[in-house]
Every structure is written in C-alpha cells, then in structure tokens.
Amino acid sequence: MTTEFNELLPVPPSGKTQIWIVGQRDEVLHVINEFTVKRIATDRSKFTPLVPAPFAAGQYMTVLVR
C-alpha cells in the first residue's frame, strides 16, 4: 500500500486490527449485516462508510476497525 493511500484511511495507524471488505455494493452490505448478526462487529458504527474502491473499478469497500 502506498503512503498516499494510507493518508486516505479514516483511522490512524495505531495498531488496531482492520478487516477490509471489498466487492460489489450489495455483497459488501450483506457482509456488514452478517458480521453484525454474528457479533464479529458490535454494531454498524464500527465500519467506515461504504465508498468506491480506489483500486478496483466498479467495486466498493468498507473497513471494520476492531
């Protein structure tokens, strides 16, 4: 990953674990819901907003910070 892309991340590099979810919009939303139901994430606020993936055309991404 480049330094430029690291600066775009909404969380500081503080050593927190991150789970990146990249895919089609509805697939990403499904995984967010699945993680919330299975209690991998305590609530949806743990995910960054859904944004177009800058490295994959037509794909969306979110990051779960634990």
Side-chain angles (χ1 to χ4, degrees):
M1 222 181 330
T2 66
T3 303
E4 178 182 315
F5 190 66
N6 283 339
E7 291 172 359
L8 296 174
L9 291 174
V11 289
S14 61
K16 292 184 179 180
T17 302
Q18 297 179 353
I19 299 172
W20 289 47
I21 304 167
V22 179
Q24 293 179 344
R25 182 177 168 75
D26 53 337
E27 292 173 340
V28 173
L29 290 172
H30 177 76
V31 172
I32 290 172
N33 291 333
E34 185 178 4
F35 277 24
T36 306
V37 168
K38 291 183 178 181
R39 303 234 181 233
I40 295 170
T42 54
D43 62 37
R44 293 177 60 94
S45 69
K46 300 292 184 183
F47 292 92
T48 61
L50 190 64
V51 295
F55 48 82
Q59 301 290 305
Y60 290 82
M61 67 175 282
T62 186
V63 179
L64 169 61
V65 180
R66 299 185 80 196

